[in-house]
Amino acid sequence: MRSELAMEGLIEPIFTLSNRGGRRLINEGFIYSLKTVNKNGTTYWRCEDRKCPGSIKTLNCIIVTDSKTAHNHGPDFARAKNTLIRNDVKEKAQNHTGKAAALVNEIIRDISPLSRPISDKPANMKQLINRTK
């Protein structure tokens, strides 16, 4: 299972954007939102689940420490992977000039078979593409 996750890029920390443009960190199946950034480059992230005390600290994009208190929920690898797929769809949509359906077909072809069951439905991807353009 861990090797499959490594192949999917979910073990190493990934910096990405939220739907509204905020910074996010995905690490080991947990999604973190930006909390604060210090002048020395230390960045504090909190678990995206508001009821969870989990947090993480990075320094120059390298994880320094995990939280002193553990998450009160398990990792959600499917949600983390779907977040990455949606960000990829948005990025491709900004540079795509053709029809949304053609881009959806291209994206679905590129998604690995392991990720297909958790990705958005094609109709949802098409709607996301049309909103992004």
Side-chain angles (χ1 to χ4, degrees), residues 21-86:
R23 291 171 51 193
R24 276 192 177 162
L25 168 64
I26 299 175
N27 185 49
E28 296 183 358
F30 294 104
I31 302 173
Y32 299 90
S33 299
L34 178 67
K35 186 176 178 185
T36 56
V37 179
N38 289 347
K39 291 179 182 178
N40 67 357
T42 303
T43 307
Y44 295 89
W45 305 83
R46 64 178 308 237
C47 183
E48 185 181 58
D49 181 350
R50 296 279 181 191
K51 296 177 183 174
C52 177
S55 63
I56 202 167
K57 180 170 79 170
T58 60
L59 179 61
N60 300 324
C61 300
I62 299 170
I63 293 176
V64 178
T65 58
D66 284 336
S67 65
K68 294 176 184 171
T69 53
H71 290 271
N72 59 11
H73 58 91
D76 190 349
F77 291 103
R79 184 153 190 247
K81 184 61 181 173
N82 196 32
T83 299
L84 295 174
I85 291 170
R86 288 179 61 84

Side-chain angles (χ1 to χ4, degrees), residues 85 88-89 92 102-111 125 129:
I85 291 170
D88 189 42
V89 168
K92 288 181 179 179
L103 182 57
V104 167
N105 291 334
E106 177 186 324
I107 290 166
I108 289 174
R109 242 189 346 260
D110 291 345
I111 295 173
M125 281 189 202
I129 290 166

Side-chain angles (χ1 to χ4, degrees), residues 109-127:
R109 242 189 346 260
D110 291 345
I111 295 173
S112 75
L114 293 172
S115 299
R116 285 192 186 131
I118 60 167
S119 64
D120 281 342
K121 296 176 184 173
N124 294 349
M125 281 189 202
K126 187 175 176 183
Q127 186 178 29

